[in-house]
Amino acid sequence: MPAVEIRDIRKTFRDFLGRRRVHALDGLSFSVAAGEVYGLLGPNGSGKTTTFKIALGLLRPDAGSVSVLGHAPGTLAARRATGYLPEDSALLPFLTARESLRLHGALAGLSRAESRRKTDELLEKVGLKQAADRRVLGFSKGMQRRLGIAGVLIGDPQVFILDEPTSGLDPLGAVEMKHLIADLRKQGKAVLISSHLLGELENVCDRVAFLNQGRLISAGTLEELLREKETHELRVSPADPDAIMALEALAKERGLKVVRSKAPMRSLEAFYLSVLGKDQAK
Amino acid sequence: MIVRVLAIAAATLRESTRSAPVRLAALLLLLCVPVMAWLVGDGEDGRVWAARTFTVEGLRLVLPLAAAVGGAFVLRPAARAGWALLPARRGEWFAGAALAGLGMILLSTALFVSGAVVMAPGESARVVRPVRATGLVAAPGTATGAASPADRHWADPNKGQALTFAFVRPDTAQLAGEVEFELVWTQEAAPARGVPFDVYVLAPGSEAARVKAEARSLSRRRASFSAAMPAGDALHVQLVPNDPVLIVGVAEQGIFLDGGRVSPLPGILWLALLAVAAAALCMAVSLWFRSWSTAPTAALAGLLLLAALTLLPGIAPTGRMAADRRAAVESDKDAMQVLESAAAQLPELLPSAAFDAYLRGREVVPTPGEAARRGLIALALLPLGAVTFRRRQIAR
Ligand SMILES: Nc1ncnc2c1ncn2[C@@H]1O[C@H](COP(=O)(O)OP(=O)(O)O)[C@@H](O)[C@H]1O
Ligand SMILES: [Mg+2]
């Protein structure tokens, strides 16, 4: 049984007078298994958030069916099994971070002691220990994101639905988020995430689906979708110019075309993380 | 479910009490009555009067309206953040928000009343305990035998009619009392005197001991009278109309004797209870509207309806009394008059009699039924709202 199964859902938003205005979803189907990270990619307004809300039972689809661990969405069983991080964090601004998490804990049915213990643990984990007793009002977007994810984690759900989890996070936060998602996968949770930034999903998702105007335009594992079958990349070390020239010559001799040959660049992210690491080590 | 509702209520209450404007408002609530009484009141009596006025108007007008407005917005954090906190159902968010709203009403009432109570302990702030008539001795205008104490009896001066009320002698040195009356004009003429009747005090049985009391006009439809206390356990008060163009109507409830002065505190607490019940009702109505739509327009529509319910009886140019009189005198009404009397018949948000009594320095008679009725209606509205809120799709 898949953790989340979405079959042929359609959703049209109507205006006040009941006229059809936006075809937000137009026959969307996919499913997410336990222990799998599934990414929804698509431009703004392509229907990612709408899909999530339907999976949570916050919106009702016009047609199609949804099940979460075999339950209808919105039922108590489905709600208990699901953790949702909304696009805009949805926090009560005048509560402190600690109080917010306690509220989440109480709603998730934890005992007082357990809620207290988990709150401290999670504040540490998401790096908000210093800000634990500050009001959410003054938090940056990234801090709110971190608090939001802690709130989702406190109930230990089976299915995670994270709407643009990395938006607003600093690069370190984004990397931590990716580690966290990888952890969840290891624990056998099903994770459904969305993003409009392609690079973000690349390293975390097992499978991705591309949405446009409410329709699935392509889906599959990263391997299937991204593998370039025509070319091959070979990295050597050390970067000895003579040996490389010889390799290129050999390639030409064998009838291959050398498409690119240059010193690889580190990504800006990798560089940032390495300098930050050095700075923090000081 | 209960645990979740309570957790949500506690969080929402915390949330609502923490913003700076709310704290300022709390301070203002506490200081409102003392400061206003001090500013407006001139002398000891003036201050007492001002404190009474501000207490009454705060409880019967401002509190319900504030509850209506607050109800429209108290669901806002719950609606914006709440639905996303998954394990709780949206109905639970609704209930939690309502509970928090009730908490806010109780808190603000407590603050406001504390301010009012500070002004109450003085000797001059004490209120009159009214001694009601035990019955009507002679009633020329009574239509049927089944008259209730609220029914007015009429006396026509041209037929030599008078109204006589029986009392148990109050425990005071001087006899004093008040009459609320209605008038019917029999001709187009201005009233000749301020008080259109003479007041006599009689010891029952002996016509000889008939003493004319000193009568004073208090307002258009109210007069006070005083006389030396007659001997004996029982006494009668007789009202004799003295203006040939005016028929005078008085209900058994409309006349009372001064039965000594008592502390106003129980009365203030009763008024507060009534006001809390009415405010809860207002909040429930606007929460219910809000459960249909979180859009401000819908909240506004709810407020308008509520304002209509709250204020129309007050705004209607003729009160219930006047409508009664008109019905007694005229048989055909034009459309405007029909509308007026319909407006006067609308259920009142608050029983105005209790508030008027305190405003006039009288003891407030406890009416637990009135408070309970309003509280129950509020309670009955909440599940309805919770169901609608649960059924609703929240897209954003
Ligand atoms: N409540 C709503 N009323 C009308 N249209 C909506 C509503 N919510 C979303 N939409 C429309 O549905 C489409 C999909 O929105 P959404 O799922 O939020 O996109 P995404 O999350 O992919 O950016 C958009 O065109 C958006 O304007
Ligand atoms: Mg979105």
Side-chain angles (χ1 to χ4, degrees), chain A residues 13-14 22 24 42-51 87 163-164, chain B residues 395-396:
Chain A
F13 286 106
R14 291 158 189 271
V22 188
N44 296 127
S46 54
K48 305 180 293 290
T49 302
T50 305
T51 309
E87 214 167 354
D163 203 349
E164 316 222 346
Chain B
R396 293 179 206 276

Side-chain angles (χ1 to χ4, degrees), chain A residues 11 53 60 79 99 104, chain B residues 18 85-86 88 391 393 395:
Chain A
K11 179 79 191 172
K53 285 183 176 170
R60 286 185 288 278
R79 280 167 174 269
E99 286 164 350
H104 276 84
Chain B
R18 279 204 182 155
L85 293 186
L86 266 193
R391 292 285 309 153
Q393 305 194 50

